[in-house]
Amino acid sequence: MRYLQLTHNEWDPATKTSRPKVLHSFGREDQLDRDAIKRLVASLSRLLDPATALRTSSGADPGDLAFTSSRPVGGTLVLDALWRRLGIDTVMARLLDGCKRDPRTERVLFALVANRALEPGSKLAAAGWINRRCHIDGLPETSDDACYRAMDWLLEIAPDLEREVFWQVATLLDHEVDLLFFDTTSTYFETEGPDDPVARDAHGRPVPDLAGDPASGPVGDDGTGTAGGDTAGDPVGFRTYGKSKDSRDDLPQVVIGMAVTRAGIPVRVWCWPGNTTDSALIRQARADMRDWTLARVMWVADRGFSSAQNRRELRRGGGHYIIGEKLRSGSAEATAALSRPGRYQHVRDNLQVKEVRIADDERFVLCFNPEQAERDAALREVMTGKLAALIAASDRLTAEKRAELRGRISTMPGLNRYLRTTPGGLLRVDKKKVTSETHLDGKYLLRCSDPTISAEDIALGYKQLLQVERGWRDMKTTLELRPVYHRLEDRIRAHVILCWLALLLVRIVETTTGRTWNQVRDDLQELHVGTFEGPAGTFRQRTELTTTQRDILGKLVVNAPKKIIELGPPATS
């Protein structure tokens, strides 16, 4: 019978001999707990640098270590920290509890959101990116099928997720949500034709009993609006023809709406069929936000939502609005606002405002930007110069050739605005139009229903609508909303939600660091994790942090990753 002990020889200066000192007794050799010894060795190895640990345990030479891969970790590290700070992982974990789904579904959805922010592509490409080109905590690998299944589940939990994100932005991040900016855009699909029409409910979702296509059956409630006008149940395809904001009326499209806070944080997104009317959009968005029992919401929208019907809808339930009014519309309000005398008051930077009294139940604020007025005048001079050069020799042309020239100019809005045709069919620069346009340089008109807010806040509030427009620009470029690599309605909706979540995290990074996401991303993606393999195992170690990376992590209050990220046994073949 043999007993095993871990001993250490200590020198005895008195006897001038070494004596063994028992550090640990393992017990009888035939009852040895080898798994416990492995755990002890692994624990002790953490006190050593990786190369020494592997060499000590295996007797291998440092040259036996192989540097097998290197992946960026900085971007996913920061996005994951913000994802958890917003409680998105907690919401998903709660909804996954008791659900017969892969417990890694939350990790897959985070990976898809991170992919949109860092290296956007199709879901098939995203799976390859996760497996080979990034490091995501808790998700060493996945498949495109897992990505599609996760997207399907995302639609089911969309209402709970949207509500949680909204209140976390309002409370945890301490962002004001009393002033919400709403705007819409469209994204087109290069397909041969629109989707087959299906009956839809008041939210623009397919009615399962009438749709006739189980594959496009009930989808998650992500706040869609009434499709095809104001009558619920009108059959219409999801990807269908409508007024395109990308000037592609020839292609099917879907309409997307977004609500954004003062700081540019997107708090909710909607997705509607491509021919949905403005009145249906604003009505559904207003109803959805009202369901969250907000005490007071001031809706800010651009000139496309200035119809009387939209304004009435926004005032329901005590709500208020700030909406732009088209000065070139020739409306009574625009004409009156421009004709009223009064001095402008300087507000901030280059912004000047003048409140004019036109109606009892609405306030009108005329805004003026001197620098913009100079740009408008310079641009008009360029346009009229090009027009004059284009029609300079047109008097010598035949009537038919002049008509052809007139037709070409009509396709150029900037030039066509200043073109006049005489009774004899000659082409001239419209000098009266040029004169009238000079009175509009640098000016825009705002409507507001709130009697308490100052004219300055009305103007500044509307100016922040640019945050929404910038959001659309970033969503279509940096996050690559388009092209959409999906044809099923529920997958398209899920794709839009993923883009919204990516934009949410990106905006939090930007507002906190004061830098653009492209700049932050480039710096973070230089932080890599390297993988080393040897006879005794595998370890992963990050590169050293740069001063810029430490500054970014400090501003975002994100802990730097451990130097040794993982230390494990050899991979089994």
Side-chain angles (χ1 to χ4, degrees):
M1 190 75 61
R2 293 203 309 171
Y3 291 83
L4 300 180
Q5 294 177 324
L6 177 65
T7 64
H8 172 64
N9 287 334
E10 292 186 347
W11 180 258
D12 186 347
T15 62
K16 296 185 179 181
T17 59
S18 61
R19 295 179 179 275
K21 179 180 179 181
V22 177
L23 301 178
H24 180 74
S25 295
F26 295 101
R28 289 169 46 176
E29 184 179 18
D30 59 333
Q31 297 178 351
L32 185 63
D33 187 347
R34 298 185 181 277
D35 289 336
I37 293 179
K38 290 180 180 179
R39 291 193 296 269
L40 177 61
V41 172
S43 298
L44 293 174
S45 297
R46 294 192 183 99
L47 303 177
L48 307 175
D49 66 88
T52 303
L54 291 178
R55 185 171 68 252
T56 301
S57 59
S58 64
D61 185 85
D64 294 335
L65 287 176
F67 178 34
T68 59
S69 68
S70 177
R71 301 185 183 186
V73 69
T76 54
L77 169 76
V78 164
L79 295 173
D80 200 5
L82 298 178
W83 176 273
R84 297 176 189 274
R85 190 175 303 169
L86 288 172
I88 299 176
D89 63 323
T90 304
V91 174
M92 291 185 177
R94 172 171 54 83
L95 296 173
L96 277 169
D97 188 28
C99 179
K100 293 182 180 180
R101 285 188 176 273
D102 187 340
R104 297 186 304 171
T105 300
E106 177 270 329
R107 290 285 79 195
V108 174
L109 287 174
F110 165 72
L112 292 177
V113 170
N115 174 251
R116 301 241 59 88
L118 296 170
E119 193 176 324
S122 68
K123 301 306 174 289
L124 179 61
W129 176 78
I130 295 167
N131 295 336
R132 297 188 296 272
R133 294 194 300 279
C134 77
H135 176 84
I136 294 179
D137 187 32
L139 188 69
E141 62 180 4
T142 190
S143 66
D144 54 322
D145 286 339
C147 293
Y148 289 129
R149 289 193 296 269
M151 290 176 66
D152 294 340
W153 182 69
L154 178 61
L155 280 178
E156 298 177 20
I157 67 168
D160 294 296
L161 182 62
E162 290 167 340
R163 186 177 296 105
E164 180 69 19
V165 166
F166 182 83
W167 291 116
Q168 287 289 69
V169 169
T171 57
L172 181 65
L173 300 183
D174 195 27
H175 280 277
E176 296 180 86
V177 294
D178 62 326
L179 193 65
L180 292 179
F181 302 84
F182 178 78
D183 196 13
T184 64
T185 191
S186 58
T187 186
Y188 58 82
F189 296 78
E190 297 189 22
T191 61
E192 294 182 357
D195 294 340
D196 293 335
V198 297
R200 297 182 178 274
D201 61 16
H203 296 267
R205 298 181 304 235
V207 179
D209 294 338
L210 303 175
D213 181 10
S216 63
V219 295
D221 182 2
D222 57 352
T224 53
T226 304
D230 300 329
T231 305
D234 287 349
V236 64
F238 191 56
R239 298 178 300 174
T240 192
Y241 296 114
K243 180 59 179 177
S244 173
K245 296 197 175 183
D246 299 305
S247 300
R248 292 306 305 265
D249 293 347
D250 58 318
L251 294 174
Q253 65 173 17
V254 297
V255 177
I256 304 169
M258 186 162 57
V260 175
T261 68
R262 292 173 184 261
I265 307 296
V267 293
R268 186 153 184 177
V269 71
W270 293 265
C271 198
W272 293 280
N275 67 340
T276 311
T277 63
D278 284 350
S279 60
L281 301 179
I282 202 72
R283 182 167 60 249
Q284 186 61 44
R286 177 75 178 87
D288 285 345
M289 300 304 290
R290 187 169 57 239
D291 288 344
W292 287 353
T293 62
L294 300 176
R296 178 179 180 273
V297 174
M298 174 78 74
W299 287 86
V300 185
D302 67 9
R303 295 171 296 181
F305 293 91
S306 62
S307 69
Q309 183 178 2
N310 288 346
R311 300 200 306 273
R312 283 195 301 271
E313 180 61 36
L314 289 176
R315 297 185 73 164
R316 289 178 57 189
H320 289 289
Y321 59 75
I322 301 173
I323 300 181
E325 175 70 17
K326 296 179 181 178
L327 281 176
R328 293 186 177 90
S329 65
S331 66
E333 292 89 348
T335 302
L338 290 170
S339 62
R340 297 292 171 85
R343 291 185 177 181
Y344 286 98
Q345 296 179 344
H346 183 265
V347 173
R348 186 181 300 176
D349 300 329
N350 297 310
L351 182 60
Q352 302 176 22
V353 300
K354 177 176 66 175
E355 185 166 3
V356 293
R357 187 78 175 180
I358 298 176
D360 294 332
D361 61 342
E362 275 187 312
R363 299 169 61 195
F364 290 83
V365 175
L366 189 62
C367 304
F368 176 63
N369 184 332
E371 286 191 359
Q372 183 61 47
E374 293 179 4
R375 290 193 291 268
D376 291 344
L379 178 61
R380 185 174 54 254
E381 185 176 353
V382 171
M383 291 294 101
T384 55
K386 288 183 177 180
L387 178 61
L390 196 59
I391 64 175
S394 62
D395 288 359
R396 295 193 295 271
L397 299 176
T398 64
E400 182 179 354
K401 291 295 184 181
R402 278 201 303 272
E404 291 179 2
L405 178 59
R406 175 72 182 87
R408 289 201 305 272
I409 296 175
S410 67
T411 65
M412 310 172 189
L415 302 184
N416 190 55
R417 177 184 299 174
Y418 304 107
L419 180 65
R420 178 177 65 90
T421 304
T422 68
L426 301 179
L427 305 181
R428 296 289 185 268
V429 175
D430 192 339
K431 295 183 178 179
K432 289 185 177 180
K433 182 66 174 180
V434 172
T435 302
S436 65
E437 286 285 311
T438 60
H439 298 299
L440 305 180
D441 289 348
K443 297 176 183 176
Y444 55 95
L445 181 62
L446 305 178
R447 291 176 179 262
C448 180
S449 61
D450 191 335
T452 62
I453 190 173
S454 68
E456 176 180 352
D457 285 340
I458 293 173
L460 294 177
Y462 186 79
K463 190 175 181 181
Q464 288 175 304
L465 187 61
L466 294 175
Q467 295 284 3
V468 189
E469 297 173 355
R470 180 177 168 231
W472 292 134
R473 184 174 65 252
D474 288 351
M475 190 176 280
K476 290 183 177 182
T477 55
T478 304
L479 307 180
E480 293 190 12
L481 170 69
R482 185 178 59 239
V484 182
Y485 300 97
H486 305 285
R487 61 179 181 84
L488 297 179
E489 178 173 334
D490 55 352
R491 297 275 171 80
I492 295 172
R493 292 181 184 274
H495 172 75
V496 172
I497 295 177
L498 290 174
C499 290
W500 161 60
L501 290 172
L503 182 62
L504 169 67
L505 300 180
V506 164
R507 280 291 178 270
I508 293 174
V509 171
E510 291 182 329
T511 57
T512 306
T513 63
R515 303 176 64 200
T516 67
W517 170 245
N518 287 340
Q519 293 171 333
V520 174
R521 179 187 59 194
D522 290 346
D523 287 329
L524 289 177
Q525 289 300 82
E526 292 181 358
L527 180 62
H528 277 234
V529 55
T531 301
F532 300 82
E533 294 183 359
T538 300
F539 74 91
R540 292 184 172 87
Q541 177 177 332
R542 65 162 170 80
T543 57
E544 293 297 325
L545 289 167
T546 66
T547 302
T548 302
Q549 291 166 352
R550 290 185 184 277
D551 181 62
I552 293 172
L553 297 179
K555 289 181 178 179
L556 294 170
V557 195
V558 174
N559 294 327
K562 296 179 181 178
K563 187 170 184 178
I564 307 302
I565 295 178
E566 183 180 345
L567 182 63
T572 57
S573 58

